[in-house]
Amino acid sequence: MQVQNKNDGKRGAFFIEDDGKEVAFMHYIFSGESKLIIDHTVVDEAYEGKGLGRQLVKAGVEYAREHKMKILPYCPFAKKIFAITPEFADVLF
């Protein structure tokens, strides 16, 4: 299972599929050219505790670094991951 990304230039989602079914996603909204806001993260109950949510946040951080962006973690889950992962601080808005 690998993290995928889709966006339309205004909003998007990082997501993970298992056997063709989406089992985890993290929605985000672009705010200008330099910021993205993580607004919602969901992991299917059957997949909880496997680190999928953290993988999604990490993918968002890598995307932000690659595109020289900052992240505002509005979603409580993403906010928690940023709080306990100091190596993500460079992209925090």
Side-chain angles (χ1 to χ4, degrees):
M1 293 186 294
Q2 87 182 54
V3 178
Q4 301 175 63
N5 180 27
K6 61 183 174 190
N7 74 68
D8 64 9
K10 293 181 183 179
R11 55 186 327 116
F14 289 95
F15 62 98
I16 298 172
E17 292 181 340
D18 187 19
D19 218 12
K21 176 186 170 209
E22 189 174 275
V23 297
F25 65 83
M26 182 179 76
H27 289 166
Y28 60 89
I29 302 166
F30 290 105
S31 178
E33 294 181 17
S34 62
K35 269 191 282 189
L36 73 90
I37 301 165
I38 298 172
D39 64 348
H40 194 55
T41 305
V42 173
V43 175
D44 185 291
E45 241 179 69
Y47 292 82
E48 288 180 359
K50 298 179 188 251
L52 300 186
R54 184 177 179 79
Q55 287 179 40
L56 294 169
V57 174
K58 183 179 179 195
V61 167
E62 290 169 356
Y63 181 90
R65 287 176 178 152
E66 182 180 329
H67 293 89
K68 298 182 180 12
M69 301 179 84
K70 295 291 185 180
I71 295 176
L72 176 61
Y74 181 73
C75 160
F77 175 80
K79 193 178 289 190
K80 177 183 172 188
I81 295 299
F82 271 90
I84 64 172
T85 314
E87 59 267 26
F88 292 171
D90 62 307
V91 298
L92 194 57
F93 179 78

